[in-house]
Each structure stands twice: as C-alpha cells, then as structure tokens.
C-alpha cells in the first residue's frame, strides 16, 4: 500500500486518464501538442502538479530563486491603447505621465541605495520620445546604479524604438547594450494566436515579430525572458501553441532565461466583464508550462499577479522562482491587482523555507548572490 501522498498520486496516475503522459514524463520524453491539450482538459490538478514537481526536481533541484529588484515604468503614454490594457493613456489626459531623466535617475539611485541587483524598466509607446531618450535612460540608470543589471524594454517597445529611429532592430539592440542594457523582459507576447491577438491588441506587433526580436537578441548574446498572458479569450490549444513556439525558439537559441505566465487582470480594461483567472487556472498554467517547456530551466510565479500565498503553493507545481521585491508597479495594479507593490527579502525566505525549499537570492542572469541555509 502507498505510504505517502506522492506515492498515492503516482499510483492513481498510473491507472487514470493521464497514465500514458505520466509514463512519458517518468521516462524524460518530450510531450506533444496533443499531450498539452489533454493536460489542459484534465481535472486531475494534483496529478498534473505531481508531474510538474517531478520535472522541476530533475531540472533544478530544490533551489528557489528570488531577486532584490525595482521596477521603473517610465511613461504610460501609449499610441496603441490596447483593449487588454488599463495602463496606457493619451497625451494630455488625466493621469498621463512621462518621467524625466532626472526623475529616473532619482529612482535608480534610491534603488541602488536599497541594494537592488536588477532594475526592470518598461513603459508605453510614447510617440513624443526621441530615440536618444531611450539610450540616455539606460546610460542614466547605469551611472546611478552601476552594480545592478538593467532589464529593459520588451519586444513591442524595441520594435517601436527601432521604428522611431529608422534603424534595424539588431543595430538598436547593440546600441542599447553599449549604453548598459543587460537583458530584455518577456512582456508583449500576450498570446500568439492571431485571431485572439486581433481582439486583444490589434495594433501590437504580431507573435512572429515578437519571436523574431527575441531571436535577434539571443543571436547578439542578449538573454531574454518569455511570457504569456492567459485567462481572457484564448483556448487550451492557443495556450499550448504559444508554449510550443517558445520551446521551438529555445531549442534553436537557448537564449531564454525564464518563462513567466501572466494572469490576466480585467479591471479597467475593455474586458472588465471577464471574471479573471482562478487558483486552479493559475496552478495548471504554471504546472503545464513546466511540463511542456522542457528546455526552460526557470518557471517563475510572478507573485504580484497571483498573490504571495498562491505563488508559494506553486512551488509544488513546477515553479522554482518567485521573482522579486519589485517596490513599485503600475501596469498590473492599474488593471486591478490587489497585491502589495513590495515584498521584502525576509518574506521570500519565510515563504520558500515553509515550502521545504532552499532560498537563493539571484541576479537577473541567475547568478547566485547568496544561498541561505
């Protein structure tokens, strides 16, 4: 008779609807598109979580990462004003803002004084900003926080900046790197499915362009993250196809650092009638990501979006990273996120240890800063 919960789940999996998929996970075989869709359609949450936890253990052991970081959202003025977004504003409307370089320098200096090792910078597509603003923004942060990695400008912003400059993306990425850029965040991916993307964010670059920009960054030696926004109009097949497109690019470049599923927050958007994700959605999303993305070392639960307690539970559903201290965040809080905007390092230590894992503070590139006993 089984003596532990894990043994019980394994026995039930072996004779349930997911028995063949479980056998492939045990054997270390790559899962297919059909497998992914069947996982989404299954109600066996604990079985899926067990398999994802097994895959997590094989890939990265019991280490769980967090980072001491700070976010800077330099402008919310945006020419796209996507229906999915509550952050963007038109110029001159209430709440519209663009930070001056002096204001950005002050934020970067405050972050450096707090000992952050990453400054994460994203914003809207502001047509009033010249190309030099972006280069000088990076130079300013580099001077103010010389010890921190700079992760800035998602693929949508990079496409916009290159268009404004009339320059190839590769040239812009090279100049931003020379100014001090270390990596790109994974935002703007949303869901690659063209029809869903048309309804969510018709003016945004398409999925192929997003993948091309990340591939260009990888080819230049600039690592990036990957994301997917889930919990709105997409189907299970759309989610799986998105993950497999990321897996295919990672096979070719190896340039992705981490995958971060982003739970859609509908408040104050054109989709405020949607209910948002549930805890089951969030855990299945994270677990299936771990199982399908067998070439990604890090799967991150962004606690800002799902809350610190569910993020802690996610450590048993394939997750090995809880992201960072953050300190200030506008994009998801404008869309109804009710989480705090700051979580101290001590909170990560307590959360990770209580889950039976080993806390490790990292930098942007997953270099260990401190491993806690």
């Amino acid at each position: 008779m089984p003596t532990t919960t894990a043994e019980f789940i394994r026995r039930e999996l072996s004779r349930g609807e997911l028995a063949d998929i479980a056998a492939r996970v045990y054997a270390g075989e790559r899962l297919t598109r059909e497998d992914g869709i069947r996982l989404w359609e299954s109600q066996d949450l604990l079985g899926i979580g067990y398999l994802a936890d097994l895959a997590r253990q094989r890939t990265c052991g019991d280490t769980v990462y967090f980072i001491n970081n700070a976010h800077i959202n330099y402008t919310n003025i945006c020419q796209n004003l996507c229906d999915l977004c509550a952050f963007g504003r038109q110029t001159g409307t209430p709440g519209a803002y663009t930070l001056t370089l002096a204001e950005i320098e002050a934020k970067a200096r405050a972050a450096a004084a707090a000992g952050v090792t990453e400054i994460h910078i994203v914003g809207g597509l502001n047509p009033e900003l010249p190309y030099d603003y972006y280069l000088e923004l990076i130079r300013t942060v580099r001077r103010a926080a010389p010890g921190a990695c700079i992760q800035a400008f998602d693929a949508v912003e990079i496409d916009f900046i290159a268009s404004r400059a009339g320059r190839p993306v590769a040239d812009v990425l090279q100049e931003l790197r020379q100014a001090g850029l270390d990596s790109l965040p994974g935002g703007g991916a949303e869901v690659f499915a063209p029809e869903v993307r048309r309804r969510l964010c018709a003016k945004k670059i398409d999925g192929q362009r997003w993948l091309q920009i990340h591939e260009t960054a990888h080819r230049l030696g600039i690592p990036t993250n990957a994301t997917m926004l889930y919990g709105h109009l997409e189907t299970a097949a759309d989610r799986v196809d998105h993950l497999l497109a990321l897996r295919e690019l990672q096979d070719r470049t190896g340039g992705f650092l981490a995958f971060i599923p982003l739970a859609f927050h509908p408040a104050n958007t054109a989709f405020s009638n949607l209910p948002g994700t549930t805890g089951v959605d969030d855990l299945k999303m994270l677990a299936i990501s771990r199982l399908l993305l067998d070439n990604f070392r890090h799967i991150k639960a962004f606690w800002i979006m799902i809350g610190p307690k569910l993020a802690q539970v996610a450590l048993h559903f394939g997750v090995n990273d809880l992201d960072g201290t953050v300190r200030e965040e506008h994009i998801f809080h404008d869309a109804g996120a009710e989480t705090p905007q700051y979580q101290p390092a001590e909170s990560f230590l307590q959360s990770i240890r209580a889950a039976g894992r080993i806390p490790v503070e990292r930098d942007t590139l997953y270099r260990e800063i401190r491993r806690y006993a």
Side-chain angles (χ1 to χ4, degrees):
M1 292 290 291
T3 57
T4 67
T5 302
E7 288 171 337
F8 174 79
I9 294 174
R10 189 175 180 114
R11 185 191 67 180
E12 293 302 306
L13 270 169
S14 69
R15 58 191 186 191
E17 59 174 338
L18 301 178
D20 57 326
I21 295 177
R24 284 194 280 282
V25 174
Y26 300 150
E29 297 175 5
R30 173 163 279 189
L31 299 185
T32 67
R33 181 176 189 269
E34 180 187 11
D35 293 334
I37 293 172
R38 286 177 56 204
L39 288 169
W40 277 114
E41 293 173 345
S42 171
Q43 298 301 310
D44 189 359
L45 176 64
L46 293 183
I48 295 168
Y50 171 80
L51 294 175
D53 198 48
L54 180 65
R56 184 271 312 159
Q57 174 68 37
R58 284 177 176 167
T59 302
C60 50
D62 286 336
T63 294
V64 173
Y65 294 99
F66 70 97
I67 188 168
N68 186 5
N69 65 350
H71 286 210
I72 297 176
N73 300 132
Y74 58 95
T75 183
N76 65 352
I77 294 174
C78 187
Q79 67 177 20
N80 279 7
L81 299 176
C82 298
D83 285 345
L84 62 80
C85 180
F87 175 68
R89 301 284 190 280
Q90 288 183 311
T91 302
T93 58
Y97 74 87
T98 298
L99 299 180
T100 65
L101 292 175
E103 290 171 324
I104 289 169
E105 179 178 1
K107 288 180 179 290
R109 289 194 183 282
V116 306
T117 59
E118 174 188 274
I119 297 183
H120 180 106
I121 304 167
V122 292
L125 308 184
N126 186 339
E128 298 174 358
L129 294 177
Y131 178 54
D132 285 348
Y133 173 90
Y134 300 96
L135 294 175
E136 196 54 41
L137 185 159
I138 297 296
R139 293 187 188 111
T140 297
V141 173
R142 173 56 66 226
R143 287 193 299 269
C149 289
I150 301 175
Q151 184 173 74
F153 309 136
D154 66 30
V156 178
E157 292 169 279
I158 292 295
D159 178 81
F160 174 74
I161 295 167
S163 175
R164 294 282 294 162
R167 306 279 302 281
V169 163
D171 290 357
V172 168
L173 287 171
Q174 290 275 36
E175 291 192 3
L176 288 169
R177 182 164 63 174
Q178 289 167 4
L181 178 75
D182 292 298
S183 73
L184 300 186
E190 319 313 358
V191 153
F192 295 148
E195 177 57 24
V196 178
R197 202 172 181 86
R198 184 188 66 76
R199 297 172 63 188
L200 289 177
C201 47
K203 296 180 181 178
K204 193 170 281 189
I205 61 172
D206 63 21
Q208 285 304 309
R209 180 63 170 164
W210 188 97
L211 290 164
Q212 288 169 1
I213 289 172
H214 280 260
E215 182 166 6
T216 300
H218 297 173
R219 179 166 50 80
L220 295 172
I222 301 172
T224 74
N225 285 336
T227 65
M228 177 171 73
L229 187 72
Y230 68 97
H232 39 79
L233 307 175
E234 84 284 7
T235 66
D238 293 335
R239 293 183 183 186
V240 170
D241 288 341
H242 185 105
L243 293 173
L244 296 188
L246 295 175
R247 187 172 78 179
E248 191 276 334
L249 180 56
Q250 181 76 330
D251 275 345
R252 288 191 286 112
T253 69
F256 286 122
L257 294 166
F259 175 68
I260 311 114
L262 302 175
F264 181 56
H265 283 58
N268 306 316
T269 76
F271 301 99
S272 58
N273 59 308
L274 297 179
T277 64
T278 67
V280 170
D281 291 333
D282 297 330
L283 291 175
K284 283 181 74 175
M285 182 71 235
L286 290 158
I288 294 171
S289 300
R290 171 61 75 186
L291 291 169
L292 288 181
L293 295 178
D294 56 5
N295 52 4
F296 277 64
R297 184 170 179 80
H298 307 294
I299 303 294
K300 183 188 298 184
F302 191 28
W303 66 269
I304 283 279
M305 305 197 76
I306 64 173
K309 290 185 178 181
L310 190 61
Q312 181 193 34
V313 174
L315 298 180
H316 292 275
F317 285 76
V319 166
N320 71 316
D321 188 357
L322 296 179
D323 198 68
T325 50
V326 179
R327 290 182 166 79
E328 179 181 337
E329 194 285 324
H330 296 288
I331 296 174
F332 302 117
H333 285 83
D334 283 355
E338 296 179 350
T339 51
Q341 296 197 27
Y342 172 60
Q343 186 174 181
E346 292 75 17
S347 176
F348 287 103
L349 300 183
Q350 181 183 24
S351 178
I352 294 167
R353 284 170 171 156
R357 301 290 159 75
I358 303 165
V360 171
E361 183 180 352
R362 65 168 175 89
D363 70 4
T364 305
L365 306 178
Y366 284 88
R367 295 175 298 205
E368 285 192 17
I369 294 173
R370 181 177 176 184
R371 179 173 290 264
Y372 292 84

